[in-house]
Amino acid sequence: LHRVDRRQRQMCIRDSPYMTPHSLFTLGQVMNMAIFGALFLGDKESQIFYEREIKKSIPLLFREGFYSFDLGGLEELFKGSHPMIQYGVGIVYSVAQNYEKTVKWYIKAADQGSAPAQYALGVIYAQGEKVAQDYEKAVQCYTKAADQGLAHAQCNLGLVYADGTGVVLDYEQAVKWLTKAADQGYAPAQHNLGVVYCKGEGVAQYYEQAIQWYRKAADQGCAPAQYNLGVLYLSLIHISEPTRPY
């Protein structure tokens, strides 16, 4: 993705007296794991694996005297890199709980069109835990990532329109984006689309469609979908209000 030439490596080592060849090698391992973790964004097990491995590797960097990515020439080293690498740097900072740097590097990657970074920024702005809560920015980020086909962003954008959070309540848009994500096999979107059809939000109330989408999500192990599917079957005509936990 991004080849570091000899001049850059020499600059990094020269300007970073605490960086040893071993710590640079460890940094490379961490970056690779962060990048591959980003590529497997839709695979929860892969995400858990890579996050665990990154957490195991970061203490090695600290033992080697690697205290921050700003040390010496590293800021220069990564600033022009591929957006996926910049997103990977953000992931590493997130695991290290340096959220200011996390946002900084996500923004760098997002500005270059990285859909995972745009989605991650949207989540950060929506939650308001690492930055000031800003639903409008969250919607903007979700929309950019959703337009690139990222199912996670499409699902969140659909939920935003369904709840009217940061945008005008628009069930038509909610169904549109949830359907796009659901058609990609994203279980949370399939579940929430089932909720939409069960409640008749923006579409005609259609229990057969609700069952179809609940089942697709339930078959992937989505517990809320399994619950709502059971409620739907047991209730027959008198349908209980389904939940939308996410």
Side-chain angles (χ1 to χ4, degrees):
L1 293 176
H2 175 67
R3 187 182 299 277
V4 178
D5 63 31
R6 181 178 298 175
R7 182 187 64 81
Q8 287 176 308
R9 289 199 299 270
Q10 289 173 341
M11 175 191 67
C12 180
I13 295 173
R14 182 194 68 215
D15 294 341
S16 305
Y18 296 105
M19 289 294 287
T20 67
H22 182 267
S23 61
L24 285 171
F25 175 74
T26 306
L27 170 62
Q29 289 181 312
V30 171
M31 287 301 303
N32 281 336
M33 287 185 287
I35 293 165
F36 279 107
L39 291 172
F40 285 100
L41 183 66
D43 186 333
K44 184 177 292 186
E45 290 185 3
S46 296
Q47 283 290 96
I48 293 171
F49 169 77
Y50 284 112
E51 182 171 301
R52 184 176 67 244
E53 293 302 307
I54 290 169
K55 285 180 178 178
K56 284 164 56 179
S57 298
I58 283 179
L60 297 178
L61 293 176
F62 282 104
R63 284 204 296 271
E64 287 289 324
F66 182 74
Y67 299 113
S68 94
F69 280 106
D70 288 337
L71 195 61
L74 286 176
E75 190 80 20
E76 181 70 22
L77 183 66
F78 287 120
K79 75 176 184 180
S81 61
H82 190 281
M84 187 60 79
I85 289 183
Q86 294 180 335
Y87 177 51
V89 175
I91 292 176
V92 173
Y93 274 128
S94 178
V95 174
Q97 297 184 346
N98 187 333
Y99 299 126
E100 181 180 349
K101 293 293 185 182
T102 298
V103 172
K104 172 185 174 180
W105 284 95
Y106 281 172
I107 290 175
K108 283 178 177 287
D111 286 346
Q112 292 190 66
S114 168
Q118 291 164 346
Y119 165 73
L121 270 178
V123 172
I124 287 173
Y125 284 126
Q127 292 178 341
E129 294 178 357
K130 305 176 180 80
V131 296
Q133 196 169 48
D134 191 328
Y135 291 120
E136 289 187 9
K137 283 187 177 181
V139 171
Q140 291 172 5
C141 292
Y142 287 154
T143 302
K144 288 178 181 179
D147 284 339
Q148 295 191 63
L150 190 67
H152 292 62
Q154 291 171 339
C155 178
N156 281 19
L157 189 57
L159 293 177
V160 161
Y161 278 112
D163 295 333
T165 306
V167 293
V168 176
L169 188 71
D170 190 333
Y171 289 126
E172 184 176 342
Q173 284 292 315
V175 172
K176 168 189 169 181
W177 288 110
L178 286 173
T179 301
K180 285 179 178 289
D183 285 342
Q184 293 191 62
Y186 188 47
Q190 293 170 337
H191 165 243
N192 283 290
L193 198 54
V195 173
V196 166
Y197 279 107
C198 192
K199 297 177 71 174
E201 295 179 335
V203 294
Q205 195 171 43
Y206 194 3
Y207 296 140
E208 289 184 10
Q209 279 281 67
I211 289 172
Q212 174 187 328
W213 288 113
Y214 282 157
R215 184 184 292 278
K216 286 179 181 290
D219 287 344
Q220 295 190 64
C222 178
Q226 293 167 344
Y227 172 80
N228 282 343
L229 182 61
V231 169
L232 194 52
Y233 278 135
L234 289 172
S235 301
L236 296 175
I237 297 175
H238 299 93
I239 308 298
S240 298
E241 280 292 295
T243 61
R244 184 190 285 126
Y246 61 91

